[in-house]
Amino acid sequence: MKIKSLQELVLFFHEKWKIKVKKFHKREDKNLLTKKRYKEFSDFPFEKIPPFEILSWLDYSSQGWIILSSDLTIKYINDKALKLIRRIKCKDVIGKAINDISELETVRDKILYSRKKDLPCYLDFNIFGDPISAKLVKGRKKTFLIVLESKLSIEALKDRQTQLINDVSHELKTPLTSLILIGERLESTVSKKDKYLIKRLKKESKRLKKMVEETLELSKLNNSFSYSTNQKIVIGKLIIETWETLKPLAEKKEVNINIKCLDKYLISGDYQNLKRAYINIIDNAIRYSPNKEEIKIEIFRRDSSVVIKIHDNGVGIEDGDFNKVFGRFYRGDPSRSKFKKSGSGLGLSITKTIITNNKGFIKAYNNKDGGATIETIFPLVK
């Protein structure tokens, strides 16, 4: 069968699909597909869908789609195909001959070679070193549909993304350090009325530098599925040590701690990384608690797990944001807090990664009597 247009291609596959559905419907298991449900599918007016609407749907496809006219001019390309051939805008490609796109030179040669064949042709080639798979489908009047797919594995794509983050972060560290030093030098030379600008420059430069450092740390943690320094940890002792580290910050606000731990529960994990995670959690609890308040920490056993609950008396978490607080760069609604948010928004994201890497679980929720609770759970070790 020769296909006139993309719309006919869709209709052709729809008719084939309907035959399969009819055979499927004859199976003994009647619960899988009822007559009413089949009628809803088969009565869908595919023939009334205009081609431009189908093309707009293809923009969201995970495959790259390119449609060529008989003179091998590009008439349509979707966003995925643009990314695969390393182009930014459709106007850079639409209306051009495939000869003008050097990345598709191999595909053009294959089309010219296979013009006399009606069957789809398959081709593997590279674009800037990335392995690409192409399927060439011939239509009527020597038109062609090219379907492109990346052959990179998910793991390879993650590795590339991680490498990009690391490279960008490393490149940013040096100029940000320079900005901080320039700000310190300028502070003694500018007029009094402009000093606030220098203070703002130093503050934002330090915040960005911290964000870069934490982005690098998070990238490193995301690629660490286990730790070679795993050891048995008395979780109560770790929490008390963490509190001692943050005690000066708590004393400034006259915030006290109330730890309730009935036993010396053991967990297995990386001590230093877990301490970093609980520093983030307790630091947030101190910062968001009003002056002269109390932070409650409960450590108890639940079945074969150890549960650590850290309650504060702050403003709580906005409804619907209980999972979002662990996302990257989450800052929350500023109208809900009296405190200036000067952090990077990566602290709790780093915390969750550490907890997960140590076979733990973390969640956040609001207390009935006000404030928020961060709850972490780990397998109990004997």
Side-chain angles (χ1 to χ4, degrees):
M1 173 182 177
K2 290 188 177 181
I3 306 296
K4 291 184 191 176
S5 64
L6 184 62
Q7 187 178 11
E8 284 191 3
L9 179 67
V10 173
L11 287 172
F12 171 74
F13 284 118
H14 171 61
E15 292 299 325
K16 292 282 187 184
W17 176 78
K18 282 202 298 185
I19 295 169
K20 288 185 178 181
V21 171
K22 286 179 181 178
K23 291 179 181 178
F24 179 72
H25 182 59
K26 292 177 182 178
R27 290 172 58 174
E28 294 180 0
D29 191 348
K30 299 296 182 181
N31 294 324
L32 291 175
L33 191 65
T34 63
K35 288 183 179 179
K36 181 180 178 182
R37 187 67 175 152
Y38 166 68
K39 191 173 186 302
E40 289 175 1
F41 283 126
S42 61
D43 286 351
F44 190 83
F46 279 91
E47 68 281 355
K48 294 183 181 179
I49 300 176
F52 72 86
E53 189 168 340
I54 294 174
L55 295 178
S56 68
W57 291 345
L58 290 177
D59 283 335
Y60 299 96
S61 173
S62 60
Q63 297 172 316
W65 285 60
I66 302 174
I67 297 176
L68 305 177
S69 61
S70 58
D71 60 355
L72 301 188
T73 300
I74 298 172
K75 295 299 182 183
Y76 168 81
I77 184 169
N78 69 352
D79 289 340
K80 182 65 177 180
L82 278 174
K83 291 177 182 177
L84 289 173
I85 67 170
R86 309 293 178 89
R87 293 294 191 276
I88 297 173
K89 297 178 181 179
C90 288
K91 66 180 183 180
D92 298 334
V93 179
I94 297 294
K96 289 189 176 182
I98 195 173
N99 300 5
D100 298 330
I101 310 297
S102 58
E103 293 78 13
L104 296 175
E105 185 177 352
T106 306
V107 179
R108 179 204 62 191
D109 293 343
K110 186 71 173 180
I111 289 173
L112 295 174
Y113 175 77
S114 62
R115 266 185 162 175
K116 295 181 180 180
K117 298 181 180 180
D118 290 329
L119 295 174
C121 296
Y122 298 88
L123 173 66
D124 291 331
F125 64 106
N126 292 308
I127 295 180
F128 294 104
D130 290 347
I132 303 293
S133 172
K135 182 179 180 180
L136 314 177
V137 183
K138 189 177 179 182
R140 192 177 179 186
K141 295 182 179 179
K142 300 181 181 180
T143 58
F144 275 90
L145 168 67
I146 304 172
V147 181
L148 301 176
E149 282 188 287
S150 172
K151 294 182 70 178
L152 282 174
S153 66
I154 294 175
E155 289 77 13
L157 290 171
K158 283 184 177 179
D159 288 343
R160 286 193 170 205
Q161 184 184 37
T162 300
Q163 188 60 49
L164 177 63
I165 291 170
N166 290 344
D167 291 345
V168 172
S169 299
H170 277 297
E171 290 298 320
L172 284 173
K173 284 176 74 174
T174 302
L176 285 171
T177 302
S178 298
L179 281 174
I180 294 169
L181 294 173
I182 290 168
E184 290 173 352
R185 291 288 300 272
L186 287 174
E187 197 169 15
S188 60
T189 61
V190 299
S191 61
K192 286 186 178 179
K193 67 176 183 178
D194 291 331
K195 278 188 181 294
Y196 80 96
L197 293 172
I198 301 301
K199 287 181 179 179
R200 179 73 183 273
L201 171 67
K202 287 170 64 180
K203 181 182 177 182
E204 291 301 319
S205 298
K206 287 177 180 178
R207 187 178 73 84
L208 286 172
K209 187 170 182 288
K210 182 182 178 184
M211 187 183 296
V212 166
E213 289 168 351
E214 290 188 337
T215 300
L216 278 168
E217 183 180 354
L218 186 57
S219 177
K220 182 180 176 182
L221 288 169
N222 280 331
N223 287 280
S224 299
F225 298 102
S226 62
Y227 293 106
S228 58
T229 55
N230 273 7
Q231 61 189 93
K232 287 185 178 181
I233 299 168
V234 180
I235 189 63
K237 181 182 176 183
L238 185 146
I239 297 296
I240 291 171
E241 275 195 27
T242 303
W243 173 256
E244 291 296 327
T245 302
L246 295 169
K247 199 171 181 180
L249 178 63
E251 286 175 345
K252 285 183 181 179
K253 299 184 68 175
E254 299 181 59
V255 172
N256 296 315
I257 187 174
N258 180 357
I259 300 179
K260 183 179 179 182
C261 182
L262 301 176
D263 202 350
K264 293 183 178 179
Y265 299 111
L266 291 173
I267 67 170
S268 177
D270 184 288
Y271 193 92
Q272 292 304 321
N273 275 287
L274 284 171
K275 186 176 179 181
R276 169 68 194 276
Y278 283 105
I279 283 175
N280 285 341
I281 296 172
I282 297 175
D283 178 70
N284 273 356
I286 293 170
R287 291 181 185 279
Y288 283 92
S289 289
N291 293 346
K292 300 181 180 181
E293 282 290 349
E294 184 179 75
I295 294 171
K296 295 179 182 178
I297 300 178
E298 296 179 77
I299 305 172
F300 57 93
R301 180 173 180 170
R302 182 189 291 160
D303 299 326
S304 59
S305 301
V306 181
V307 181
I308 305 98
K309 289 185 177 183
I310 300 174
H311 312 262
D312 66 49
N313 289 294
V315 293
I317 301 167
E318 190 174 2
D319 291 342
D321 282 6
F322 299 123
N323 290 324
K324 292 179 183 177
V325 294
F326 301 109
R328 297 186 183 189
F329 306 110
Y330 174 84
R331 306 297 295 278
D333 185 351
S335 66
R336 289 177 55 82
S337 175
K338 307 179 211 177
F339 313 107
K340 293 180 180 179
K341 295 181 174 65
S342 58
S344 64
L346 288 168
L348 285 179
S349 183
I350 289 172
T351 298
K352 182 177 181 180
T353 303
I354 292 172
I355 298 295
T356 303
N357 283 356
N358 283 277
K359 300 179 181 179
F361 173 78
I362 187 168
K363 65 178 179 178
Y365 52 89
N366 286 330
N367 306 323
K368 291 181 181 179
D369 53 350
T373 294
I374 301 291
E375 181 177 318
T376 50
I377 305 170
F378 292 95
L380 184 64
V381 176
K382 295 182 180 180

